Amino acid sequence: MSGVEVITFGCRLNTYESEVMRSQAEAAGLNNAILVNTCAVTGEAVRQARQAIRRARRDNPHARIIVTGCAAQTEKQTFAEMAEVDAVLGNEEKLKSSSYRSLPDFGVSAEEKLRVNDIMSVRATAPQMIRHIDGHVRAFIQVQNGCDHRCTFCIIPYGRGNSRSVPMGAVVDQARNLVESGYREIVLTGVDATSYGADLPGTPTLGLLAKTLLKQIPEIRRLRLSSIDSIEADQHLMDLIADEPRFMPHLHLSLQHGDDMILKRMKRRHSRADALGFIEDVRRLRPETSFGADMIAGFPTETEEMFANAVGLAEEAGIAHLHVFPYSPRPGTPAARMPQLDRGLIKERAARLREAGHRLHQTHLDKMVGTRQWLLVENGGLAHTENFTLAAAPGLRPRDLVQVAITGHNGKHLDMQLLAADAA
């Protein structure tokens, strides 16, 4: 191979950072290299990364393989000891071209492979500028990194460090850059995006940032948020939900569970009532809003009644896009030291929670039939509605905005009839 290939795992923030990594590595003159941007959210994510590294070495025996990302930050020795790996970069180091100029030679020891500093010492997030997100019609912008909270199940703060925000002006410049490159939808992303601004002068909020973007860049046709913590939602955000048609009616919530005792043991900052109240408030302001949510099945000490409360919350809230994670103990977290459930029981509960999510998604698809929607056409003949429902869009060009009538669905995506197109 030649050039720089990037293999990305995990969140939208990683997707954005992979483009930064590619540009920085190319600027450093790196060639014949594979960058693996890992995720640490579950043990399975780490296993998949190790598997991909071995596969990459088999397929590219002479390439330089550089591993980075959250798993490389939290389990640096694990990756340094892999014979297939030539270097390990931390989450801060991966974004600097100098890191790619100072890589060790082949065949060095595990310790010499390491370029991983203490992420907790990082106090700022440097603005990055890119014009393209490879393979994506929607553009992601990093507005925040790290997390100041310490949920008992989560290893991510130890991979990302404490919360730090990108200055508002830099976010505006990046968004303008991407819009000028032809992107019609922007997604604001971060590790704990709703904590945005607490470390900046004047303490701006995520909602104010979104308002500013839409005011200063009227060419943005659609603006979304990645996963948010509803307890941190500010009045500016609620104003956007109520009054701004370019702010998309879909919110993905970091709920994690639906039982108050488990939420306390997770060290979450919201209760069951808080979550339901927020969803009710949003639907009152904008009834067409759909919700996604992350939920964990099989957290330590979870009883059958507690699990039923998690399922019940998803059903009561009408979560249309449920992301289910079977609990995975992460070494070094408090939850890993709690009484664990049997792995078979965890998998069984995760399957039941996914079944509930499937039923909720079918109900959501049913409600969409007969409506008119605007779609942003993506790659592979698919598109998303404003409320992030997948639709078939055969024969249409990526990045086009089209108005359609929803005529049915196949259980996975909506079927439609084209009414109008806005290809400007």
Side-chain angles (χ1 to χ4, degrees), residues 381-401:
L382 296 172
H384 276 97
T385 66
E386 292 183 340
N387 69 5
F388 206 62
T389 307
L390 192 65
L396 299 177
R397 297 180 305 176
R399 294 195 185 181
D400 277 359
L401 279 170

Side-chain angles (χ1 to χ4, degrees), residues 78-190:
T78 296
F79 292 98
E81 290 173 358
M82 292 182 68
E84 297 87 353
V85 174
D86 296 300
V88 180
L89 300 182
N91 261 334
E92 181 72 3
E93 291 73 31
K94 71 182 183 182
L95 304 177
K96 300 175 180 177
S97 64
S98 59
S99 300
Y100 301 101
R101 294 192 189 99
S102 61
L103 290 171
D105 293 330
F106 290 95
V108 297
S109 70
E111 290 302 320
E112 291 171 305
K113 293 179 183 180
L114 290 172
R115 298 289 188 277
V116 182
N117 292 333
D118 177 12
I119 197 68
M120 294 301 177
S121 68
V122 180
R123 292 289 180 262
T125 291
Q128 304 288 344
M129 196 64 65
I130 59 174
R131 298 190 67 87
H132 178 69
I133 309 287
D134 188 45
H136 290 268
V137 166
R138 291 174 288 136
F140 308 123
I141 298 179
Q142 176 189 4
V143 302
Q144 180 273 342
N145 204 339
C147 185
D148 289 340
H149 313 300
R150 295 296 182 264
C151 297
T152 59
F153 57 85
C154 188
I155 194 69
I156 298 305
Y158 305 98
R160 288 285 182 176
N162 293 315
S163 182
R164 52 213 190 269
S165 307
V166 178
M168 191 178 294
V171 178
V172 172
D173 290 343
Q174 174 66 97
R176 186 174 286 115
N177 221 21
L178 289 163
V179 168
E180 289 173 355
S181 295
Y183 288 95
R184 312 182 83 181
E185 180 171 309
I186 301 292
V187 184
L188 305 183
T189 185

Side-chain angles (χ1 to χ4, degrees), residues 83-329:
E84 297 87 353
V85 174
D86 296 300
V88 180
L89 300 182
N91 261 334
E92 181 72 3
E93 291 73 31
K94 71 182 183 182
L95 304 177
K96 300 175 180 177
S97 64
S98 59
S99 300
Y100 301 101
R101 294 192 189 99
S102 61
L103 290 171
D105 293 330
F106 290 95
V108 297
S109 70
E111 290 302 320
E112 291 171 305
K113 293 179 183 180
L114 290 172
R115 298 289 188 277
V116 182
N117 292 333
D118 177 12
I119 197 68
M120 294 301 177
S121 68
V122 180
R123 292 289 180 262
T125 291
Q128 304 288 344
M129 196 64 65
I130 59 174
R131 298 190 67 87
H132 178 69
I133 309 287
D134 188 45
H136 290 268
V137 166
R138 291 174 288 136
F140 308 123
I141 298 179
Q142 176 189 4
V143 302
Q144 180 273 342
N145 204 339
C147 185
D148 289 340
H149 313 300
R150 295 296 182 264
C151 297
T152 59
F153 57 85
C154 188
I155 194 69
I156 298 305
Y158 305 98
R160 288 285 182 176
N162 293 315
S163 182
R164 52 213 190 269
S165 307
V166 178
M168 191 178 294
V171 178
V172 172
D173 290 343
Q174 174 66 97
R176 186 174 286 115
N177 221 21
L178 289 163
V179 168
E180 289 173 355
S181 295
Y183 288 95
R184 312 182 83 181
E185 180 171 309
I186 301 292
V187 184
L188 305 183
T189 185
V191 175
D192 180 26
T194 31
S195 72
Y196 175 83
D199 57 323
L200 296 178
T203 59
T205 61
L206 182 65
L208 181 60
L209 172 64
K211 273 186 179 179
T212 302
L213 282 170
L214 291 169
K215 180 179 180 180
Q216 295 197 14
I217 312 175
E219 297 84 2
I220 295 176
R221 301 299 299 273
R222 296 168 37 140
L223 182 68
R224 290 192 193 278
L225 304 180
S226 62
S227 179
I228 69 168
D229 199 337
S230 61
I231 203 71
E232 293 179 316
D234 66 293
Q235 188 57 49
H236 290 295
L237 181 57
M238 303 308 284
D239 292 344
L240 285 170
I241 291 167
D243 302 324
E244 177 51 77
R246 291 184 294 155
F247 186 81
M248 294 295 96
H250 169 77
L251 295 172
H252 189 87
L253 308 179
S254 179
L255 293 182
Q256 307 306 345
H257 212 275
D259 181 83
D260 281 336
M261 180 56 71
I262 292 294
L263 288 168
K264 287 181 180 179
R265 289 171 180 166
M266 287 179 165
K267 209 174 178 181
R268 299 295 294 163
R269 291 169 300 135
H270 69 269
S271 66
R272 177 191 183 90
D274 291 332
L276 290 171
F278 174 77
I279 291 168
E280 181 180 349
D281 288 345
V282 171
R283 286 208 172 106
R284 177 176 47 81
L285 295 172
R286 199 162 179 189
E288 70 270 27
T289 302
S290 73
F291 290 91
D294 295 329
M295 294 192 78
I296 295 173
F299 186 81
T301 76
E302 180 189 75
T303 65
E304 185 62 29
E305 180 182 3
M306 292 170 173
F307 173 72
N309 285 336
V311 176
L313 175 65
E315 293 174 340
E316 188 173 348
I319 302 297
H321 313 278
L322 191 63
H323 292 188
V324 176
F325 296 86
Y327 171 74
S328 174

Side-chain angles (χ1 to χ4, degrees), residues 19-40:
E19 289 306 313
V20 177
M21 288 163 48
R22 187 196 307 275
S23 65
Q24 296 291 351
E26 289 173 348
L30 196 64
N31 191 34
N32 189 30
I34 299 171
L35 313 183
V36 184
N37 198 8
T38 64
C39 172

